[in-house]
Amino acid sequence: MCAKKTGSFEDLAVVGVDIGKDTFHLVGFDRAGQLVIRKQIKRLALSATFEQLPRCIVGMEACLSAHFVSRTLRGMGFEPRIIPAIYVKPFNKGQKNDYNDAEAIAEAALRPNLRTVSEKDQDQLDLQALHRVRARLVSRRTATINQIRAFLIEQGITVRSGLRALKNSFETILEQRQDEISPRMRGILIGLYGDWLWLDKRIEDVSGEIEEISRTEENCANVMTIPGIGPMISTAMVAAVGKGEAFDRGRDFAAWVGLVPTQYSTGGRTILGRITKRGSRYLRMLFVQAAKVIMMRQNRWSTFSFGPWLTEAVKRMPRNKAAVALANKLARTAWSVLRHGTRFDAPRDMAMETI
């Protein structure tokens, strides 16, 4: 399906690509803003179609396969720009369809001050996949443990909170409560316990692979010199932002992670609210967990360069708020270490628990 061309093909300035599972929708404009291209292509025809186009800016939303498409087009001489969906939405006109989406992407790609997503190489995508697999396995393990607890409660059996408490008492419960648990329910519980052990093994294997990468990758090793930061945060950060070139300073990275307060300003008056929780939810969770681990070890604060700041912060704000503020500081510090290829200035406490 093609619309009538109103612009000059030779002056093609931008092409918006709406990426689908099997088909792509293209909308292109020339330098005067006139429509030049409006067509649908098969995924396999991507290279053949763009080989016939003048080299220009190509915009696409951040989605599945966007990085693969971006690398393919960059290798052909185009200038791909991966745009977060939230920045494309204001340019949408009319009802939602694939061509309107592609047109909005093309218009957004021409904005000179628009922040784009950094293109990931294959190593980053592989590392990101490991983290996503691990997160899914941890979620499934939690669901399995909760189901075991729920079935035990239905039999009138409660176990104190904690993963270790349930694992240590599970076999004892089945042995001592044989009269209270039916044979069928006993079989169900044993099956769930087997699933739990299998998930533990899978999580251990994936975590071990991530830790191995963190030891051999220089950028990860540098980030791990920061107190509280270990293999999980360092590898997740490198997988998400590479060397952090997309951000001008640490504050921008902390804002992208969602660790800055929401802002409402009018008439010269600024009101700050809760943290935005935008950007990477996974990284934000890891940084907050690392901050809470550090706050649990108050006797070690004096060994950190930010120890005096943390001591004063805990005095003037609630503990959870101080933990988020510390997570923000850790994120900014991690970006600085990653971007400049340096190590943290404070001595590393090897006994410090890390994430």
Side-chain angles (χ1 to χ4, degrees):
M1 177 180 179
C2 294
K4 182 179 179 181
K5 298 178 182 179
T6 59
S8 171
F9 186 82
E10 291 74 18
D11 291 334
L12 183 65
V14 63
V15 176
V17 182
D18 183 61
I19 299 176
K21 182 178 180 180
D22 299 314
T23 59
F24 293 174
H25 291 76
L26 313 181
V27 173
F29 299 99
D30 64 11
R31 302 182 189 283
Q34 298 299 312
L35 179 67
V36 177
I37 301 172
R38 190 174 188 269
K39 64 187 301 185
Q40 174 182 327
I41 64 171
K42 293 291 186 181
R43 175 180 283 270
L44 295 178
L46 175 70
S47 298
T49 300
F50 275 90
E51 281 177 356
Q52 304 172 9
L53 301 180
R55 299 314 181 243
C56 61
I57 297 171
V58 181
M60 64 200 78
E61 278 190 353
C63 63
L64 293 176
S65 81
H67 295 280
F68 169 78
V69 173
S70 177
R71 292 201 306 270
T72 301
L73 296 178
R74 189 177 298 281
M76 298 171 61
F78 289 90
E79 184 185 342
R81 296 181 181 177
I82 305 175
I83 308 169
I86 193 173
Y87 294 151
V88 175
K89 189 174 181 180
F91 295 95
N92 259 312
K93 299 185 290 291
Q95 300 184 38
K96 175 172 172 53
N97 59 58
D98 295 324
Y99 285 114
N100 283 347
D101 288 346
E103 181 178 337
I105 293 169
E107 292 189 18
L110 287 175
R111 299 303 95 191
N113 59 346
L114 186 70
R115 288 199 174 276
T116 58
V117 177
S118 348
E119 184 180 291
K120 291 182 174 62
D121 58 28
Q122 192 57 50
D123 289 338
Q124 286 179 272
L125 292 176
D126 293 347
L127 190 51
Q128 188 177 63
L130 281 174
H131 276 276
R132 288 177 175 174
V133 169
R134 184 181 181 279
R136 179 182 60 82
L137 291 172
V138 170
S139 177
R140 283 186 57 189
R141 180 177 65 181
T142 301
T144 302
I145 293 171
N146 288 342
Q147 194 166 49
I148 291 174
R149 286 184 177 277
F151 289 158
L152 287 175
I153 289 175
E154 288 179 352
Q155 307 301 312
I157 302 170
T158 59
V159 183
R160 68 179 186 274
S161 61
L163 179 150
R164 188 172 301 175
L166 179 59
K167 179 174 284 189
N168 291 340
S169 60
F170 182 79
E171 294 181 358
T172 304
I173 290 173
L174 293 183
E175 183 180 346
Q176 296 180 353
R177 304 289 188 97
Q178 293 185 31
D179 298 336
E180 303 175 39
I181 303 175
S182 68
R184 179 168 295 169
M185 178 57 68
R186 179 185 178 88
I188 292 172
L189 290 172
I190 291 174
L192 287 173
Y193 187 66
D195 293 344
W196 180 2
L197 296 180
W198 180 84
L199 288 168
D200 274 347
K201 181 64 169 59
R202 285 282 289 125
I203 292 170
E204 183 181 347
D205 291 343
V206 175
S207 298
E209 190 170 354
I210 292 174
E211 290 174 7
E212 179 63 27
I213 293 173
S214 71
R215 288 192 293 268
T216 58
E217 217 282 335
E218 182 181 359
N219 292 321
C220 295
N222 288 337
V223 175
M224 285 196 296
T225 59
I226 302 172
I229 293 183
M232 292 301 152
I233 295 181
S234 62
T235 52
M237 188 173 172
V238 169
V241 301
K243 293 197 67 174
E245 304 96 332
F247 307 98
D248 295 330
R249 52 188 181 273
R251 290 181 180 180
D252 294 338
F253 173 69
W256 177 76
V257 176
L259 289 170
V260 298
T262 55
Q263 179 177 332
Y264 179 82
S265 301
T266 181
R269 182 186 178 203
T270 300
I271 300 175
L272 299 180
R274 298 180 177 180
I275 58 173
T276 63
K277 294 187 178 180
R278 295 178 65 176
S280 175
R281 179 181 180 182
Y282 182 67
L283 265 179
R284 181 171 62 252
M285 174 195 70
L286 292 178
F287 275 117
V288 171
Q289 286 181 351
K292 289 185 176 180
V293 167
I294 291 175
M295 294 186 67
M296 291 169 60
R297 311 290 190 268
Q298 189 169 356
N299 60 315
R300 300 177 186 170
W301 292 358
S302 59
T303 63
F304 307 142
S305 59
F306 54 78
W309 169 87
L310 181 57
T311 302
E312 293 301 318
V314 171
K315 292 179 181 178
R316 69 174 185 268
M317 61 180 71
R319 199 165 184 83
N320 283 341
K321 189 174 181 180
V324 173
L326 177 57
N328 180 294
K329 183 175 283 291
L330 290 176
R332 289 186 280 120
T333 305
W335 175 87
S336 180
V337 168
L338 185 64
R339 186 71 184 92
H340 299 101
T342 58
R343 299 171 73 85
F344 189 60
D345 58 354
R348 175 82 165 164
D349 188 347
M350 300 305 294
M352 184 70 191
E353 186 177 349
T354 59
I355 293 175

